[in-house]
Amino acid sequence: MNHRISSRVRNIAPSATMSVDAKTKALLKEGKPVVNMSVGEPDFNTPLPASFAGIQAITEGNTRYTAAAGTLELRRAIASKLMVENGLQFSPEQIVVSSGAKHSLFNIFLSICDDGDEVILPAPYWVSYPEQIRLAGAVPVIVSCDEASGYKLTPEQLEAAITPKTKAVLLNSPNNPTGAVYSESELRALGAVLARHDVYVVTDEIYERLVYNTRHFSISALVPELQPRTIVVNGFSKAFAMTGWRLGYIAAPLDVAKAIASLQSHGTGSPSTISQAAGVVALQSFDPSMVEEFHRRRDVLVRELQSMPGIQCLMPEGAFYVFPNISGVFGKKLGGKVVDSAATFCELLLEHDLVAAVPGEAFGAPNNIRLSYATSMANIETAVERIRSFLGRLA
């Protein structure tokens, strides 16, 4: 036997966010007071009405398989939500509910990509995008977006990246890891380019409700001619603090939705019946105070980071991450070790000052680190003190 593990799996890069989180939890088990700024998980409880709906599903025996695409009740509720909140018209048959938005994305790439197809992926990007694209046999075409553009893809970059092999373009707004939010005019400009090319538009809108002093827009609501080839991805983990319920969905052209439902029927089958019952109620249970609290935390964290020597930090407009550029301290040392990368910076920060952050290499941005403010204000204040102390000891 030449290889016990398939080449497609051997070549996967492990999730950096999960890796840092695992190291952090190991240190916490040892009794170390680590401040975990690495993981994208809201520190709020699931809305009680949604939790009670899940409990009711259990006690009433609503625990059987559902259709592979999800219950009709939930798909109708999602279709209504998309129309009312996003200006998007989808029938329940065009919606597929999956075990988390990550699962939804994986289904999409497996369903639309053939070997050698290209998927345009703006960087910085979420860590799982390129790996999922590669697992589908496609090629992620990375387009680097820097601070000058607010970490956003420009129409010129998009036009230059499209080739005859392009199958899809992936947009994520609000963005993980940068918190960037595409404005109405920016999306219209990208839409004008995409209208000239026959490619799919995959738009990951999982953070749509978490925006500050701005609005979220769906690109196909602004450029309707794109809707026949736009696939919208969303879920319940972020806005409803339902990470462990594992519930996400796609809304897509009918042929794509049917293909994804068929694929899912042979993979996981339907998502949890209990989670779906909770999801129906969750859509009516959003708590805007979550956004207010994240807004407050963001302002404190960014203000403190911007005051630190060697650190540059843009103000994110959405999600719950900051993405500071720490290249200003590259070349400095601590304990005989040179800070020569974001990965080394995060390693030393965790080792010496017990703050867990994710290095930017995982997001296609080697000069940056990601810090999550989905944690308490007390933790943020402690983390800020420790980061400042850490920077002060670099020489």
Side-chain angles (χ1 to χ4, degrees):
M1 185 181 293
N2 294 327
H3 294 293
R4 293 173 60 86
I5 306 301
S6 73
S7 60
R8 73 175 64 86
V9 173
R10 286 201 312 273
N11 294 328
I12 296 173
S15 169
T17 51
M18 295 296 101
S19 175
V20 172
D21 191 49
K23 290 178 185 176
T24 301
K25 287 174 178 172
L27 288 170
L28 287 168
K29 280 187 178 179
E30 294 173 11
K32 303 287 180 65
V34 179
V35 177
N36 190 357
M37 306 283 282
S38 70
V39 71
E41 183 167 38
D43 59 322
F44 293 84
N45 291 325
T46 300
L48 278 176
S51 293
F52 287 142
I55 293 168
Q56 186 177 13
I58 294 170
T59 58
E60 292 184 354
N62 184 14
T63 56
R64 307 293 184 185
Y65 294 134
T66 74
T71 64
L72 183 57
E73 182 183 16
L74 179 54
R75 287 183 286 129
R76 281 175 172 162
I78 291 168
S80 176
K81 176 259 184 236
L82 291 170
M83 173 58 77
V84 172
E85 297 181 10
N86 305 102
L88 299 173
Q89 187 168 355
F90 289 97
S91 69
E93 291 72 30
Q94 293 178 272
I95 292 162
V96 180
V97 184
S98 302
S99 300
K102 181 183 285 191
H103 182 208
S104 297
L105 283 157
F106 192 50
N107 284 344
I108 289 169
F109 297 126
L110 284 177
S111 298
I112 68 171
C113 292
D114 286 312
D115 289 350
D117 283 346
E118 295 178 351
V119 178
I120 295 172
L121 179 59
Y125 46 72
W126 178 53
V127 296
S128 292
Y129 290 145
E131 303 308 322
Q132 290 189 348
I133 292 165
R134 291 188 185 103
L135 281 168
V139 179
V141 176
I142 310 300
V143 180
S144 294
C145 308
D146 57 19
E147 286 104 325
S149 66
Y151 297 117
K152 301 176 196 177
L153 181 69
T154 67
E156 294 77 17
Q157 287 178 308
L158 175 58
E159 184 70 65
I162 294 174
T163 75
K165 292 184 178 180
T166 303
K167 178 58 70 77
V169 175
L170 177 54
L171 297 176
N172 173 213
S173 177
N175 179 267
N176 173 8
T178 67
V181 178
Y182 285 86
S183 69
E184 179 179 2
S185 60
E186 288 166 339
L187 287 174
R188 287 188 185 279
L190 293 175
V193 174
L194 291 166
R196 298 195 294 270
H197 299 277
D198 186 20
V199 299
Y200 284 111
V201 184
V202 180
T203 173
D204 183 349
E205 304 182 11
I206 188 72
Y207 295 97
E208 64 164 344
R209 294 177 189 257
L210 306 180
V211 292
Y212 318 105
N213 304 322
T214 189
R215 280 186 61 193
H216 165 78
F217 294 93
S218 293
I219 189 169
S220 59
L222 300 174
V223 189
E225 57 263 45
L226 296 181
Q227 182 152 346
R229 44 194 172 88
T230 296
I231 306 170
V232 179
V233 182
N234 211 321
F236 294 78
S237 60
K238 311 302 181 182
F240 302 104
M242 293 175 69
T243 51
W245 295 79
R246 307 313 305 136
L247 198 63
Y249 61 88
I250 61 99
L254 186 59
D255 59 336
V256 175
K258 286 182 174 179
I260 289 173
S262 178
L263 171 69
Q264 183 161 290
S265 73
H266 292 291
T268 60
S270 66
S272 162
T273 308
I274 300 154
S275 297
Q276 291 184 73
V280 172
V281 176
L283 288 173
Q284 306 301 321
S285 306
F286 177 65
D287 182 1
S289 69
M290 179 193 289
V291 180
E292 295 167 9
E293 178 60 19
F294 281 144
H295 193 166
R296 193 169 69 93
R297 296 174 187 177
R298 178 203 68 164
D299 289 353
V300 169
L301 182 56
V302 173
R303 182 184 69 235
E304 294 295 332
L305 288 170
Q306 288 176 340
S307 73
M308 296 181 188
I311 305 293
Q312 293 179 317
C313 187
L314 293 184
M315 180 67 78
E317 292 184 304
F320 41 62
Y321 310 105
V322 295
F323 201 57
N325 183 321
I326 50 92
S327 62
V329 302
F330 286 176
K332 295 190 175 185
K333 297 180 182 178
L334 179 61
K337 193 160 188 177
V338 178
V339 180
D340 56 2
S341 65
T344 304
F345 182 99
C346 290
E347 177 187 329
L348 292 172
L349 179 62
L350 182 59
E351 177 185 345
H352 291 274
D353 287 270
L354 299 176
V355 176
V358 186
E361 287 93 341
F363 307 104
N367 291 333
N368 297 68
I369 65 171
R370 191 191 76 174
L371 297 166
S372 168
Y373 51 91
T375 187
S376 69
M377 186 66 83
N379 280 343
I380 290 170
E381 291 169 349
T382 300
V384 163
E385 291 173 8
R386 293 181 183 180
I387 294 169
R388 197 181 295 279
S389 172
F390 172 76
L391 292 171
R393 286 183 286 111
L394 294 176

